[in-house]
Every structure is written in C-alpha cells, then in structure tokens.
Amino acid sequence: MTSPPSRAGRRCHAALNPLHSLLYFSPELPREMAALGIGEQTAAYLATRAAPLGPVGAGGVTAAFYSFRPGLVARHLPGVWERARPDAVLDARLRAADGVLRRLLGDRVVESPQMAEAAELALRAAAGCRPHGRPLYAANADLATPHAAHLRLWHAATLLREHRGDGHVAVLLREGLDPAEAMISHAASGHGQHPEWLRETRGWSEQEWQAAQGRLRERGLLTPDGRLTEDGVALRKAIENETDRLDRAPYEALGAEGVARLTDLAAGFALTAAKGGAFPSEVTG
C-alpha cells in the first residue's frame, strides 16, 4: 500500500461503518424495539446505542453521543429503562442486525467464506483498540462476541466505529466546536449527512442552528451562504487527520495487507446493502 496507515484506516472505516449504521435505518430495529415497549424513533436510537453503558441517564449519554441537544436526550433517558432493561435492548438490537443483514445481503453472502474472513479480520483490528477515554468503545468491548460470522462482523464494525467516534469527540473539543457547530461544518464539507436531517434528529431548534452558523461565520469558518471558507476547509481537514491519528492503533495491529483485504470485503458488502435500499435518500447530503 502506498498511502499512510492513517488514510488506509480511514478508508477501512468508511467501508465498515455502513455495516454498523444500517441498523438504525432498518425496519427490523423499530419492530424489535416496539415489542419492548419503545416505539418512538429517537428513544429507540438512544436506547439501542446506549444499552452497552447500562441503565445510564441523560447526562452520560449527552456527553458520549455529543451531537444531541441535552433536552432531547432527557426526554427519553433514563425513563426508557423503565420499559426495557439494557440487556433486553442488546438482545433486540442483535436480532435486528441479524434480520437486516440477511435481508440486504442474502443468506448466501451472510454464510459465505468471505463473510467469515471479514469478521475475523475486523475482530483482529478491534483487538488493537484501547479503552482509555473511549466510553462507547469500552462499553461495547465488554459485550460477548456473537457466534455467527455476520454478527461477528457487525459487532467488530460497531467496536471500530465507536472507537473512532470517541476519538473524534476529543478532537472536536480541542478545536472548540460545539455539537451544532461540528455538525454544520461537517455537512458543509460535503462529507456529512443532510444538515436539516441532522438538526431535526438531534433536537436542535432553527434558532439554535442559526446561532451556531453565526458563530462559525464569526470565526471565519463559514461563508454567508453556508459554505466553508478556506480556514473552514483547513480546520475540517485537520480534524479528520487528527481523528485518523487517534484511530491508527487497530489498523496498525491488523497490518497493511489485512486492512486492504478487509476494506475490499466490507466495501463489497456495504455496496450490496446500499443498492438494496439500506439508507434513505433524505439522510445524505
């Protein structure tokens, strides 16, 4: 491989992350969560992602997830745990992951040697992660690894996703970007999700969103028409590069050949899932 390990890791993350995140856009997850008495979409997301932390309250989830308005989180947590215990939610999310992966990829792919190979490569990478300062990664790392290959891959993709995300939050804090500012600047870079979808699902009002845009303009990071300035582009590039640096351990542990092979396998699975309608059009920027 000719590129630095950090860039190879970023590409591998970009291939693996859809295999984790497709769960949140699937019909399988709402069905499983509704059966537990959690029918509201935001409550289901918060419970599903926070369940590895245990019956945590709003403060801990707001801190770890970073992008959500505190009031939105407090509307659902810790009350959601009165309807379903975290261990029941964890079982439900694994059933949902099994269902959505089988539906989008098909049983032949799910049970293929390539799936088993990808799972073991991803788990080897995840074994290179360390828990210090990474609460969402560490909580998921405490969970048992599933037996089926496609669920082993989903579990490993989750570990790697949360490991990178925890490090990314640390970089955002260092650069002085609050949650709304971080989402707005990322969306303006052309690599993020649709800004209006982000604003609504994270609970921020139009006034709060506009105020965050104003702060970015005052810092010289955003133009009046919502594009990144040269300084804004440089800042987002620096943020991603530093996130790469903090996320290098799992990909260095796997090695260049392993990273390249895992990227190819995961990208193939992710493309099949995307062609099958894994992600709604309103999410993408």
Side-chain angles (χ1 to χ4, degrees), residues 13-187:
H13 163 77
L16 278 169
N17 188 46
L19 300 176
H20 159 82
S21 59
L22 57 78
L23 177 68
Y24 302 120
F25 304 100
S26 73
E28 286 83 358
L29 182 62
R31 284 200 297 266
E32 290 287 350
M33 298 301 285
L36 298 179
I38 306 173
E40 204 276 334
Q41 184 176 8
T42 300
Y45 174 84
L46 293 172
T48 300
R49 193 168 167 219
L53 296 165
V56 66
V61 170
T62 299
F65 286 19
Y66 197 72
S67 62
F68 283 78
R69 189 174 187 271
L72 178 62
V73 180
R75 191 182 308 163
H76 302 290
L77 296 174
V80 72
W81 307 125
E82 297 175 3
R83 285 174 275 166
R85 291 171 51 87
D87 56 353
V89 172
L90 290 171
D91 289 342
R93 81 172 190 173
L94 205 57
R95 290 193 299 270
D98 175 59
V100 67
L101 288 170
R102 287 186 179 277
R103 174 173 59 83
L104 291 172
L105 301 181
D107 288 343
R108 183 179 63 83
V109 173
V110 160
E111 297 167 6
S112 67
Q114 291 80 11
M115 179 63 70
E117 181 186 3
E120 295 315 304
L121 287 169
L123 287 169
R124 277 173 50 196
C129 299
R130 295 294 179 265
H132 312 294
R134 301 182 192 262
L136 287 171
Y137 160 75
N140 279 277
D142 278 345
L143 303 178
T145 302
H147 295 291
H150 64 300
L151 296 180
R152 292 168 72 83
L153 179 60
W154 185 84
H155 175 68
T158 302
L159 294 175
L160 292 166
R161 190 260 192 199
E162 299 294 17
H163 183 269
R164 183 177 181 89
D166 286 335
H168 188 65
V169 167
V171 180
L172 294 175
L173 286 170
R174 190 193 72 175
E175 297 298 338
L177 289 178
D178 68 26
E181 294 165 2
M183 288 185 289
I184 291 166
S185 61
H186 190 212

